[in-house]
Amino acid sequence: MISGNLEYLMSSLPYLSFQDTEEARSMVHSILKKYADSSKGEKDTVAILDEEAQKFLNPKDYYLFQQIGLDTIHSENFRTHRNKVLAKFSTYMHYLKKGVQQLRILRKNSGEASIPKKPPLPLEPGTPLEEETQLIKWQWDKLEELSLGHYSDFGALAIYKLKLLLLERWWSFDQEQGFAIFLNATKMTPHGR
C-alpha cells in the first residue's frame, strides 16, 4: 500500500479531541458526513469512515479494519495480531475488562465501602456514568500513547477509528435515560428478588 494514500486520508479526517461539547460533536459529524453518499441514506460516522477507508486499503487490511470495534478489540485474535498497535491496545483492553470484572465482583461481595486498599483498577468511585467516563478516558490516553510514531499508516487509521468509537460511545450517554435504566434494573420483584 502506498503510504501517500493513507496520508491523504488521515490529513482529510476531522481532528479528534477528548471533548464532549456540542461544537466538537458538530465538527466531527459535519466533516465526516461530507464524505457520505447522500443517495444511500443516513449513515453513522463510523460507517462513513469504514467506506472511506475501503478506498485506500487492500481487501485484507479493509476486512481487518471493519472488524475493529470496542466490543471485539479485546479478543485474542487482536491481542496476537501482527499489527503492534492493535495487539497492544487489545491487550490493554483485555486487562481493563478483567480489572472491571474483578472490581464488580469485589463490590458485589463486599460492598463499595470495604474495597481493599489496592483495588484491581484505580477507578475513582462515582456514579456509573462518571466511572464509565473514566474508563473511556483511560482508553483514550492509551491510544494517544500508542499513536506516537504513527501518522499515516494502518496503525494510525486503526487508532483514529478506535478514538471515533470512544467519542461516539461517550457522546451517546444520556444521564436521564441511564438513570431510568438503572432504576428499572434494580427494581425489586414482589418476592424480594
Side-chain angles (χ1 to χ4, degrees), residues 2-18:
I2 301 171
S3 70
N5 289 340
L6 274 183
E7 186 174 344
Y8 169 77
L9 174 62
M10 293 304 298
S11 66
S12 65
L13 293 172
Y15 176 73
L16 301 179
S17 61
F18 194 75

Side-chain angles (χ1 to χ4, degrees), residues 13-14 16 28-29 32-33 35-36 42-54 62 65-71 157-158 160-169 171:
L13 293 172
L16 301 179
V28 169
H29 290 145
L32 282 172
K33 298 263 183 201
Y35 285 109
E42 276 296 304
K43 293 181 186 158
D44 69 10
T45 54
V46 177
I48 294 168
L49 177 63
D50 282 352
E51 283 184 5
E52 196 60 25
Q54 184 178 18
Y62 178 65
F65 188 72
Q66 281 188 302
Q67 303 307 308
I68 296 171
L70 295 178
D71 56 342
L157 188 60
Y160 189 91
K161 182 175 182 177
L162 288 162
K163 283 182 170 182
L164 183 60
L165 288 165
L166 286 172
L167 287 176
E168 290 292 350
R169 176 163 168 68
W171 293 345

Side-chain angles (χ1 to χ4, degrees), residues 21 41 61 66 81-82 85 90 97 99 124 127-128 134-135 137 144 151 155-156 162 171 182-183:
T21 64
D61 286 341
Q66 281 188 302
H81 199 273
R82 63 177 163 66
V85 168
S90 178
K97 283 192 172 289
E124 292 291 323
T127 67
Q134 284 179 65
L135 292 170
K137 177 67 168 122
E144 283 287 308
Y151 307 104
L162 288 162
W171 293 345
F182 171 76
L183 288 177

Side-chain angles (χ1 to χ4, degrees), residues 11-156:
S11 66
S12 65
L13 293 172
Y15 176 73
L16 301 179
S17 61
F18 194 75
Q19 296 180 45
D20 186 13
T21 64
E22 196 57 45
E23 181 182 357
R25 291 179 192 196
S26 178
M27 183 204 55
V28 169
H29 290 145
S30 65
I31 292 174
L32 282 172
K33 298 263 183 201
K34 288 180 182 177
Y35 285 109
D37 181 359
S38 59
S39 66
K40 295 181 180 178
E42 276 296 304
K43 293 181 186 158
D44 69 10
T45 54
V46 177
I48 294 168
L49 177 63
D50 282 352
E51 283 184 5
E52 196 60 25
Q54 184 178 18
K55 299 173 188 174
F56 300 95
L57 297 173
N58 65 49
K60 184 179 176 185
D61 286 341
Y62 178 65
Y63 177 77
L64 176 63
F65 188 72
Q66 281 188 302
Q67 303 307 308
I68 296 171
L70 295 178
D71 56 342
T72 59
I73 193 66
H74 65 284
S75 64
E76 186 174 347
N77 61 325
F78 282 117
R79 288 195 316 267
T80 58
H81 199 273
R82 63 177 163 66
N83 183 288
K84 290 182 181 176
V85 168
L86 287 176
K88 286 179 182 178
F89 189 69
S90 178
T91 300
Y92 177 76
M93 287 298 293
H94 182 73
Y95 155 79
L96 201 57
K97 283 192 172 289
K98 291 286 185 191
V100 168
Q101 182 182 32
Q102 291 172 355
L103 189 59
R104 286 182 180 153
I105 290 169
L106 278 172
R107 286 180 177 175
K108 182 179 179 183
N109 292 339
S110 61
E112 199 169 323
S114 59
I115 291 177
K117 290 182 182 178
K118 180 140 169 80
L121 293 174
L123 195 64
E124 292 291 323
T127 67
L129 180 62
E130 292 167 343
E131 290 182 0
E132 187 65 28
T133 303
Q134 284 179 65
L135 292 170
I136 289 173
K137 177 67 168 122
W138 292 350
Q139 294 167 60
W140 182 276
D141 290 345
K142 184 64 174 179
L143 289 169
E144 283 287 308
E145 175 188 318
L146 292 172
S147 70
L148 295 176
H150 296 279
Y151 307 104
S152 62
D153 59 1
F154 184 81

